[in-house]
Amino acid sequence: MSDLATLEAPVTNPAVRTDWSREEIAALFDLPFTELVFRAAAVHRDHHRAGEVQLCTLLSIKTGGCPEDCGYCSQSVKADSGVAASKLMDVQAVLQSAAQARDAGSKRFCMGAAWRNPKDRDMDAIVQMVKGVREMGLETCMTLGMLTPDQAGKLAEAGLDYYNHNIDTSPERYNEVITTRTFQDRLDTLSVVREAGINVCSGGIVGMGETRADRVGFVHALATLEQHPESVPVNALVPVKGTVLGDMLADTPMAKIDDIEFVRTVAVARITMPLSMVRLSAGRESMSEATQALCFLAGANSIFTGDKLLTAPNAGDDSDAAMFARLGLKPMEGEEPLRAMKAVGGCSGGCAA
């Protein structure tokens, strides 16, 4: 039976799988668009409240000066983007921002630092931030680069809920985007985070001039992890002038990924990782409401809200509230499926023990 034929049966209450083949994922991408979105929507409704979308806020707690050469990033020292390097923010200033995010309806507060890896001297302040944000009743997420087991242990002890470490793209294309670390480095950090007992947030960026085969490889790498990430952010490249990819793709047809192909990527992520939160992340400010609505229909159920994502612009709180009103959506209430299952000890196959 062909891979496409095996996908012709209705997709309802699917078992969580971590053995997806690239051929199966490619067959999903090749489905007629309306059929793919229909199947993704069915999977989504089996595991999530269809009318709810999680609101998250992302704050840059240390901007610029990163020694990595990520071709998409304006915070790299290799980029001529005009982003100045700053020191780590004061703990109290971070907590004030978290309080504002909570008051605006955010459920999760994410903190990002432009580091290859955190220095041990910064860990005390990082721990204070995690503890302070959790005391406000917010979920916490950090993205600080690569971690040692000791650093991950300190974050776990502080109560960090999530650690974000994106795989960015397919294993085959990775070294065309980044040369200062390897794809395996990314996987190693995800393993360190898992072993520390912290939930994983890992996704990537599409629209970097990659092929569909690369998007297949990107989803495959996440969907075949021993345990699926609890959160899977899907970013559309924001081509920033002065970055390698921003300059390379400027004024070309590849400067913006096709909206239908972006929705396809969201839908395939939803089908292959049914319990994960799939988040619309960077690039949303340039998407129409219709495109975002298709993404929600295809299973995206988390967004970053606020005016800025690290250094990139983002749709603001008021704009999102107006869109939610038009679409009949509401901010998510309650626990995410993977975390809820872990709490009652009912997690298996693609879910952390």
Side-chain angles (χ1 to χ4, degrees):
M1 185 179 292
S2 70
D3 290 306
L4 184 57
T6 64
L7 295 168
E8 289 178 352
V11 181
T12 56
N13 294 310
V16 176
R17 295 176 49 194
T18 59
D19 62 348
W20 291 92
S21 70
R22 288 201 178 203
E23 291 74 20
E24 286 177 302
I25 294 173
L28 286 171
F29 267 101
D30 288 342
L31 284 170
F33 179 74
T34 53
E35 177 66 16
L36 174 60
V37 172
F38 174 79
R39 295 186 186 198
V43 172
H44 182 66
R45 282 158 175 74
D46 280 340
H47 301 287
H48 304 265
R49 296 184 183 91
E52 293 187 0
V53 176
Q54 181 189 59
L55 301 183
C56 309
T57 298
L58 175 61
L59 174 69
S60 178
I61 60 174
K62 192 278 174 191
T63 303
C66 181
E68 303 278 24
D69 67 354
C70 307
Y72 52 80
C73 186
S74 63
Q75 300 195 67
S76 168
V77 294
K78 310 292 185 182
D80 185 21
S81 59
V83 175
S86 69
K87 295 181 179 180
L88 182 65
M89 284 180 65
D90 177 73
V91 172
Q92 193 56 43
V94 172
L95 298 184
Q96 289 174 350
S97 294
Q100 293 170 356
R102 178 197 58 197
D103 293 345
S106 279
K107 178 181 177 66
R108 185 182 302 175
F109 191 69
C110 307
M111 296 158 273
W115 286 324
R116 176 179 170 83
N117 51 274
K119 301 292 188 294
D120 287 338
R121 66 172 181 265
D122 294 314
M123 289 305 297
D124 285 346
I126 294 295
V127 164
Q128 290 179 51
M129 292 174 191
V130 172
K131 289 181 176 179
V133 173
R134 290 195 90 237
E135 287 173 359
M136 296 179 191
L138 288 166
E139 291 180 351
T140 53
C141 182
M142 283 275 182
T143 179
L144 312 170
M146 294 183 285
L147 292 178
T148 65
D150 181 65
Q151 290 170 337
K154 288 180 179 178
L155 292 173
E157 186 178 353
L160 183 68
D161 296 292
Y162 290 84
Y163 193 79
N164 168 258
H165 203 60
N166 290 335
I167 62 168
D168 294 328
T169 187
S170 68
E172 294 77 14
R173 192 159 190 274
Y174 193 83
N175 63 4
E176 297 177 30
V177 178
I178 303 159
T179 68
T180 50
R181 61 170 180 258
T182 67
F183 193 83
Q184 188 59 49
D185 288 333
R186 302 301 257 181
L187 297 182
D188 290 345
T189 290
L190 293 181
S191 294
V192 166
V193 169
R194 276 285 184 222
E195 289 168 7
I198 301 170
N199 296 296
V200 167
C201 174
S202 187
I205 307 170
V206 295
M208 295 193 291
E210 77 281 350
T211 64
R212 177 178 282 185
D214 287 314
R215 290 188 280 278
V216 169
F218 157 62
V219 174
H220 178 262
L222 293 171
T224 55
L225 290 173
E226 184 178 351
Q227 298 161 359
H228 291 164
E230 281 77 7
S231 290
V232 178
V234 181
N235 299 270
L237 178 71
V238 178
V240 178
K241 183 178 180 180
T243 62
V244 172
L245 287 173
D247 291 344
M248 183 186 302
L249 300 178
D251 303 319
T252 74
M254 293 189 296
K256 182 179 184 297
I257 188 170
D258 175 77
D259 287 345
I260 296 299
E261 188 68 12
F262 186 85
V263 178
R264 282 185 182 275
T265 306
V266 169
V268 174
R270 168 51 67 217
I271 291 171
T272 56
M273 294 172 279
L275 294 176
S276 302
M277 303 296 292
V278 176
R279 179 180 303 127
L280 296 186
S281 299
R284 196 167 60 84
E285 80 290 342
S286 64
M287 295 178 192
S288 68
E289 284 193 0
T291 297
Q292 293 181 69
L294 282 172
C295 288
F296 296 136
L297 179 62
N301 60 340
S302 179
I303 62 171
F304 279 124
T305 192
D307 297 323
K308 183 180 287 189
L309 299 182
L310 298 179
T311 62
N314 187 48
D317 297 332
D318 292 342
S319 175
D320 287 335
M323 177 179 67
F324 274 35
R326 278 189 286 274
L327 297 179
L329 299 173
K330 65 178 183 178
M332 192 184 99
E333 299 175 356
E335 189 60 274
E336 301 136 23
L338 280 173
R339 293 191 68 192
M341 290 177 70
K342 286 164 64 177
V344 298
C347 210
S348 63
C351 177

